[in-house]
């Protein structure tokens, strides 16, 4: 039997590259590591561009493919995960057109939310850029026809999630405003499922759940994305043992990378800036 790899098979240590504007993509990295524990990891955060949710669509449609192009050249990943709803809903098609590597995007979990709701009212909590995307209209029309889909954009939750991961305090008013932004809309009193449509938000799951109360379920797409990554890389070779991953941050005058200790639970062992 021939054990040699097919010519285009990735080398065992070829990494999976996770990409987000900041630390939110760690919520996708976590479940992926649980499925592929020895995979080499590069976690890239565009701190020079954070927050994406406050940027225009055209800017992101140009910025994300250009930056990912640099990162792919530098790290030669076997697969790229755009672990950011804002970048995915705006730039996924542009990235796929520009790069010759498999790309997995992050889509708001409207489909499972629509299957789960009993009241027929679901909420989508994302960045301001994500909640205004026609992509969200399309998902709602396709998977939540006949249901009410309320949307609210919360930039404060992105700041709060970044703070929490660094061990800093989260402003409780930000959490209250995010939930009230959905509940206060017409039909909001019947809300029973909230989609966390920004990868930063599951970092604040506990705080958001406490504010929403026990009758509202919070869901996100991370576990499904992890399964998709495992599926797309099935049959590929992996290192025999896990080695520490790399986190790379685009250089920002306002924001330094977090302490390595905050990233270590996600298997990250070193930090680079580009
Ligand atoms: N984590 C990102 C998302 O999933 C965006 C946060 C931001 O940069 O505004 O939408």
């Amino acid at each position: 039997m021939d054990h040699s790899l097919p010519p285009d098979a990735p080398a065992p240590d070829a990494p999976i590259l996770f990409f987000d504007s900041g630390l939110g993509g760690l919520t996708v990295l976590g479940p992926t590591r649980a499925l592929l524990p020895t995979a080499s990891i590069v976690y890239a955060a565009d701190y020079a561009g954070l927050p994406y949710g406050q940027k225009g669509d055209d800017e992101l449609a140009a910025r994300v493919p250009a930056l990912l192009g640099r990162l792919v050249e530098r790290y030669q990943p076997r697969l790229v995960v755009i672990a950011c709803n804002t970048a995915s809903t705006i730039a996924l098609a542009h990235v796929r057109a520009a790069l010759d590597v498999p790309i997995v995007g992050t889509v708001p979990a409207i489909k499972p939310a629509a299957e789960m709701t009993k009241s027929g009212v679901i909420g989508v909590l994302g960045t301001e850029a994500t909640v205004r995307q026609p992509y969200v209209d399309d998902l709602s029309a396709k998977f939540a026809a006949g249901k009410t889909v309320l949307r609210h954009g919360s930039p404060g939750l992105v700041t709060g999630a970044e703070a929490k991961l660094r061990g800093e305090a989260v402003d409780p008013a930000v959490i209250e405003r995010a939930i009230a932004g959905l509940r206060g809309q017409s039909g909001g009193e019947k809300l029973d499922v909230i989609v966390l449509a920004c990868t930063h938000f599951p970092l604040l799951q506990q705080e958001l759940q406490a504010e929403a109360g026990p009758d509202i379920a919070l869901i996100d797409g991370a576990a499904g994305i992890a399964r998709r990554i495992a599926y797309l890389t099935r049959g590929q070779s992996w290192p025999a043992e896990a080695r520490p991953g790399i986190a790379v941050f685009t250089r920002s005058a306002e924001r330094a990378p977090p302490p390595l200790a905050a990233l270590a639970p996600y298997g990250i062992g070193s930090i680079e800036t580009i």
Side-chain angles (χ1 to χ4, degrees):
M1 200 160 108
D2 181 10
H3 286 284
S4 62
L5 295 168
D8 57 348
D13 60 352
I16 299 175
L17 190 144
F18 289 79
F19 175 80
D20 183 28
S21 54
L23 302 176
L26 294 171
T27 63
V28 181
L29 170 57
T32 306
R33 284 183 71 234
L35 292 184
L36 300 168
T38 67
S40 300
I41 299 299
V42 174
Y43 183 86
D46 184 12
Y47 262 14
L50 180 76
Y52 276 6
Q54 307 303 103
K55 290 201 157 28
D57 295 11
D58 291 347
E59 187 179 351
L60 289 174
R63 182 181 184 91
V64 173
L67 179 53
L68 275 172
R70 276 172 68 199
L71 292 164
V72 165
E73 206 173 291
R74 188 175 168 115
Y75 296 105
Q76 303 283 315
R78 68 178 75 204
L79 179 134
V80 170
V81 185
I82 305 184
C84 171
N85 289 85
T86 312
S88 297
T89 51
I90 294 171
L92 186 58
H94 302 270
V95 173
R96 287 206 167 116
L99 300 181
D100 191 19
V101 59
I103 314 282
V104 174
T106 313
V107 171
I110 291 175
K111 185 174 184 232
E115 287 163 1
M116 194 187 274
T117 181
K118 292 197 170 60
S119 70
V121 181
I122 65 179
V124 176
L125 203 53
T127 64
E128 286 173 328
T130 294
V131 298
R132 69 165 182 257
Q133 292 309 311
Y135 198 91
V136 177
D137 300 327
D138 294 348
L139 287 173
S140 305
K142 200 164 162 195
F143 299 117
K147 317 235 188 277
T148 302
V149 181
L150 307 175
R151 308 173 188 194
H152 180 68
S154 173
L157 290 180
V158 176
T159 313
E162 290 279 328
K164 185 177 176 188
L165 211 103
R166 288 164 183 266
E168 296 162 12
V170 180
D171 179 359
V174 161
I175 306 290
E176 282 164 32
R177 276 202 299 272
I179 300 297
L182 289 171
R183 260 200 188 124
Q185 295 181 39
S186 159
E189 68 288 345
K190 288 207 257 155
L191 193 63
D192 64 353
V193 185
I194 296 178
V195 179
L196 301 182
C198 168
T199 52
H200 276 79
F201 298 176
L203 293 168
L204 297 170
Q205 175 97 21
Q206 264 178 303
E207 292 83 349
L208 289 165
Q209 188 71 69
E211 180 63 25
D215 298 333
I216 297 183
L218 305 185
I219 64 166
D220 64 73
I225 298 162
R227 284 195 299 274
R228 178 85 188 137
I229 296 164
Y231 176 78
L232 289 175
T233 56
R234 70 199 182 284
Q236 296 183 1
S237 312
W238 302 98
E241 280 173 32
R243 271 185 303 212
I246 301 168
V248 53
F249 291 81
T250 55
R251 202 166 281 114
S252 154
E254 289 125 60
R255 200 174 279 103
L260 187 56
L263 303 178
Y266 296 90
I268 301 298
S270 62
I271 293 178
E272 300 177 358
T273 42
I274 58 167

